[in-house]
């Protein structure tokens, strides 16, 4: 095994046991150390490292994090959730509404964004309705991961896939193949959690309350930004049907949408300061580490093994789910897209890759950055432990298996009706 691979194993091992290290060590610190070792050992040049960073993904994440922080800072998103929840007449409807609210919003605002703003929402629901915080934490994690499957902007790995030239219109093509399985998988979360946490569904009075808007000027600007955001998405969808060429990259939609806030809000520096730069740095150095790793013969020889078909449905599902636990779903997607580029598979293979690498987040905490974001934010606010690594697997493993089976059944249905 080469030095490049050994350093890669060390990097991802440190990420896996980071919570056991007695001093603060952030995810981007580990990735930076890995990138620095590769650079100093001449495994990658500075120019190659810079070219490996996907600016589209970084720009999109910056825009989404900016908008997400503004929504949380103004309390406007909590206000929107309240309007949605106040119609709930019983606990069962409340939980179902919660799952779909988190799931569908993550499809458009990115799972990491809803993971951030969802934490104060579940704390409020736990306080108001007496719901178990562990139950709500798992509900939030499973919902944002599952819902983010639907859209090219649902998560970073979807964005990486959607930016490929094989897609003529990512929103239309993602919705075409992933709307049905996503909706079914969200319903599965409801019935699964109802079975596992029966006590949380016992009849109880629902007294609805909401947090007041914190900053009305910021709220108005957030409404403008949201209107631009959904308007641009609508234009991109209509572009497919009316065959006009709207020269706007998908990744720039979040940044353009948040411009009114940065241009017109007097406390713009507060929004800029509130962006999750730790995650942005993590992605920058992760691109460099992944680029170096995938150049190594250990990985490049992957396709030379006789009888290996890396783009078969089985290979995409198994590799997407299990390798995402070892190297996280975004690095895995970057690596696997390099392999798929050599094979030139059909569009549906990329859809399967997007599903598999995303649903991997329901298996373990390490399967998605949104899981880590949720747990870290919760532990800061409640000053204690909520869900550990093994508890997450205990609840996540059966759910992941059921959701994968559902997706495979949807694929067979599509083949039966010649949709694929």
């Amino acid at each position: 095994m080469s030095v490049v691979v050994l350093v890669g194993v060390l990097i991802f091992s440190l990420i896996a046991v980071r919570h056991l290290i007695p001093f603060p060590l952030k995810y981007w610190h580990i990735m930076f150390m890995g990138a620095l070792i590769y650079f100093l050992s001449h495994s990658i040049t500075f120019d190659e490292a810079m070219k490996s960073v996907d600016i589209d993904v970084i720009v999109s994440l910056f825009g989404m994090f900016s908008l997400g922080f503004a929504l949380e800072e103004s309390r406007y998103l909590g206000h929107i959730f309240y309007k949605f929840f106040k119609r709930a007449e019983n606990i069962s409807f409340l939980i179902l509404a919660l799952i779909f609210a988190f799931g569908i919003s993550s499809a458009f605002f990115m799972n990491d964004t809803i993971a951030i703003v969802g934490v104060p929402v579940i704390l409020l629901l736990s306080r108001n309705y007496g719901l178990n915080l562990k139950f709500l934490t798992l509900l939030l994690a499973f919902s944002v991961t599952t819902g983010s499957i639907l859209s090219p902007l649902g998560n970073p790995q979807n964005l990486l896939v959607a930016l490929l030239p094989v897609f003529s219109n990512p929103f239309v093509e993602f919705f075409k193949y992933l709307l049905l399985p996503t909706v079914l998988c969200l319903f599965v979360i409801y019935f699964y959690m109802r079975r596992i946490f029966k006590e949380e569904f016992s009849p109880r009075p629902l007294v609805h309350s909401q947090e007041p808007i914190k900053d009305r000027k910021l709220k108005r600007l957030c409404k403008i930004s949201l209107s631009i955001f959904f308007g641009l998405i609508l234009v991109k969808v209509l572009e497919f049907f009316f065959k006009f060429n709207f020269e706007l990259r998908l990744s720039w939609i979040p940044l353009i949408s948040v411009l009114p806030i940065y241009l017109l809000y007097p406390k713009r520096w507060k929004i800029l300061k509130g962006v999750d730069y730790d995650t942005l740095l993590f992605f920058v150095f992760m691109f460099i580490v992944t680029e170096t790793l995938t150049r190594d013969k250990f990985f490049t020889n992957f396709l030379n093994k006789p009888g290996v078909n890396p783009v078969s449905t089985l290979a995409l599902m198994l590799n997407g789910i299990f390798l995402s636990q070892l190297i996280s779903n975004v690095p895995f997607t970057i690596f696997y897209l390099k392999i798929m580029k050599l094979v030139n598979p059909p569009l549906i293979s990329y859809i399967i890759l997007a599903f598999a690498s995303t649903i991997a987040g329901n298996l373990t905490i390490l399967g998605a950055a949104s899981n880590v974001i949720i747990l870290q934010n919760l532990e800061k606010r409640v000053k204690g432990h909520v869900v550990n690594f093994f508890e997450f697997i205990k609840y996540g493993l059966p759910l992941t298996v059921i959701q994968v089976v559902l997706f495979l059944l949807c694929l067979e249905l599509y083949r039966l009706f010649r949709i694929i």
Side-chain angles (χ1 to χ4, degrees), residues 91 95 98 131-140 142 193-194 196-197 199-201 386-387:
I91 198 69
I95 298 304
L98 187 64
L131 292 167
N132 181 275
L133 189 55
K134 179 184 293 186
F135 164 71
L136 289 174
T137 302
L138 292 168
L139 199 73
L140 173 60
F142 295 152
M193 298 299 279
R194 188 181 180 101
I196 301 299
F197 292 91
E199 66 281 1
E200 299 303 318
F201 289 84
V386 182
V387 179

Side-chain angles (χ1 to χ4, degrees), residues 73-122:
E73 182 65 19
S74 66
R75 300 291 187 267
Y76 182 49
L77 193 64
H79 188 74
I80 295 172
F81 274 118
Y82 165 75
K83 286 186 174 181
F84 190 69
F85 295 142
K86 70 178 182 180
R87 296 183 176 86
E89 297 178 355
N90 55 64
I91 198 69
S92 295
F93 185 82
L94 174 69
I95 298 304
L96 185 62
L98 187 64
I99 291 169
F100 274 85
F102 285 145
I104 300 303
S105 58
S106 70
F108 295 99
F109 295 109
M110 198 164 281
N111 56 352
D112 293 350
T113 303
I114 303 304
I116 294 168
V117 300
V119 167
V121 172
I122 64 172

Side-chain angles (χ1 to χ4, degrees), residues 164-179:
L164 296 171
V166 69
F167 289 90
S168 58
N169 191 299
F171 280 104
V172 173
E173 287 150 337
F174 266 68
F175 291 167
K176 176 181 177 181
Y177 296 110
L178 293 172
L179 177 60

Side-chain angles (χ1 to χ4, degrees), residues 17-29:
V17 300
R18 169 182 164 273
H19 61 289
L20 301 175
I21 298 173
F23 55 87
L25 188 64
K26 296 182 179 180
Y27 288 100
W28 76 265
H29 292 160

Side-chain angles (χ1 to χ4, degrees), residues 150-168:
L150 177 60
S151 160
L153 292 175
N155 52 63
Q157 63 271 17
N158 274 17
L159 184 61
L160 284 167
V161 172
L163 290 173
L164 296 171
V166 69
F167 289 90
S168 58

Side-chain angles (χ1 to χ4, degrees), residues 25-68:
L25 188 64
K26 296 182 179 180
Y27 288 100
W28 76 265
H29 292 160
I30 299 172
M31 281 295 177
F32 170 73
M33 287 188 290
L36 184 62
I37 293 171
Y38 285 147
F39 178 68
L40 294 176
S41 64
H42 304 291
S43 299
I44 190 169
T45 67
F46 181 79
D47 286 342
E48 291 169 337
M50 291 301 98
K51 289 177 182 177
S52 70
V53 178
D54 194 321
I55 299 300
D56 281 327
V57 172
I58 301 302
V59 166
S60 179
L61 286 172
F62 176 82
M64 291 308 306
F65 286 149
S66 298
L67 183 55

